[in-house]
Structure formats: structure tokens, C-alpha cells
Amino acid sequence: MGPSTPIVRHYTIADFEIRGPLGKGNFGNVYMACHFIVALKVLFKSQIEKEGLEYQLRREIDIQAHLQRTHNILHLYNYFHDARRVYLILEYAPRGELYKELQNSHAFDEPRTATVMEELADALTYCHEKKVIHRNMKPEKLLLGLMGEVKMADFGWSVHTPFSRRKKMCGTLDYLPPEMIEGRIYNEKVDLWCLGVLCYELLVGNPPFESTSHSETYRHILKVDVRFPASIPLRAWDLISRLLRYQPSEQQPLAQVLKHPWVRAHSRRVLPPAAQMASLALSTPILL
């Protein structure tokens, strides 16, 4: 993926006016900060070191720094660190988490869901062209921009893999594909499985394989045991069933997701104006 862009200037916390909290994570917090308006993700080095996640953080930064040419991926503008913390300067997504909107609505209608599918299929196409597998796409990892556009925001489990062959299990239980559960070698098509699970969850309000125990969830996933309620439109049912396949080779490719009749009929995607990015160039690697 290449080295990071040469440093333009060093940042410290004094360069930002902290306005208020946006969210909490396992190892730190996210705040609204003014430089121009950005989100400032603050991570504690002690927690990262305790969990042995130094490499994962470097990988996350490197991947997100090189995925900057689509509106549907949250931009990482820069990063810096001091003795105790690492700071990621991120694009501010004013409408917050997709998960919270889904909770408030319980389920989305066809236009909203089809729009999300088109936006994410386009963003994943870009990721896969860059040899990046996301591996953990779910409502909690997706943010919403000013116009409601979806932004892939968390690349903590993502991997840059030029040869597209991995074996590590990672992600969220309800979204795990069969090949991960069975320990098979997998590739970027695990993201297509996640896209199918997400489409179902947005339309129904809960993921398709959710159960009372891990073992029962695993069993449903391995059998691809999906119960489609009557509320799911037939053409959306068709798209989901084409993405949730036991054999990855049988899955609907992303190009066909973008052309699927249900997506084309219902998506209301609007491309927002280009984000302001020029003044914040990426800096040199973090020293944890």
C-alpha cells in the first residue's frame, strides 16, 4: 500500500478546541473538535499496549489513510501522539451511527436500505480494488454524513492482503460467514456475506442468524438457515439470498449488487460535495 505521505506539520492536542463527546470505544473516546470541524478519536497507549494491539492500530491507520477516494469511507486526515495518547483526526459524521437510527426506526424502508446497499457495494468495490478486506461490517461500524450517506468508519479488523487469502477468524458473531467459522481459507468475499446480513438486518430489525446461544448461531450460519418474514419484498429477498451462500464462489459479485433490479429501483443515493481535506496531510508512523 506504500508509505504514508511525508509530514506537513506536527499536531498536538493544543491545536484543537474540544467541544464535546461523540462516543466511547474499548480503548478511548471520540470527541467533536474544531480545527475545521473534525472528530478526534483519542486512544490510550496503556490500553493498546496492554491488549497487544500496537500492530493492529498501525495497520488500521495505514489502511484507512490509503482509502480516501470515495464519499462512503470516513476520511482519516492525520494523526499524532503524546506520551499517553494517540489522536486520530477523522472526518466528522454529523448524523452519528447507523445503528442508533436503526434502533429508533426498528427497521428501514426499501429506499433507505437499497441506498445503503448501493453506497456500501460501491465502497467495498473500491476497498477490494485496493486489496483491502473489511471483515467487520455491521450497523455499529457505519456512520452517517450530513446528507444521510453511509460512511464505513472502523477499519480495526480490516486487512491489506495482496493475495486475498486469509484464515484468521474475526468480526462479530452474527455476521461471521461459514468459511470463517469452519477455519477455511477465505478472501474478500467475506464482505459480501456481511452485506447480505446487513441488508436483512436493516429491513427486519435484527440479523438473520441471531439466536440464544453461540452454538445455535453457528449452526444456523453453517446451514444458511434464513427465515424470511413476509415483510421482506421479494426482490430484496432475491438479493439477500444471492449474497448469503455457503460457497463464496456462488455469491452475487459486487458489480451485480450495484445492478440488481431491487437496488436500481429503490436506491436514492446522492453524492455529496467533495470533503475538505487538503490542509491535513498524513504524518509519519506512530511510535507507541
Side-chain angles (χ1 to χ4, degrees), residues 153-198:
D154 190 329
F155 287 80
W157 283 115
S158 299
V159 63
H160 175 240
T161 175
F163 302 105
S164 300
R165 293 172 63 83
R166 308 292 294 188
K167 199 169 183 178
K168 181 178 180 179
M169 180 187 288
C170 59
T172 302
L173 175 63
D174 291 320
Y175 277 70
L176 291 177
E179 57 266 38
M180 273 194 185
I181 292 174
E182 293 183 330
R184 290 184 270 150
I185 291 173
Y186 61 83
N187 58 23
E188 72 281 355
K189 290 190 176 182
V190 295
D191 289 338
L192 277 69
W193 176 276
C194 289
L195 196 62
V197 174
L198 180 67

Side-chain angles (χ1 to χ4, degrees), residues 27 44-54 83 287-288:
F27 308 109
F44 294 96
K45 289 183 176 181
S46 59
Q47 292 295 316
I48 294 166
E49 291 168 353
K50 180 180 178 182
E51 299 295 329
L53 295 176
E54 297 97 327
L287 301 175
L288 292 175

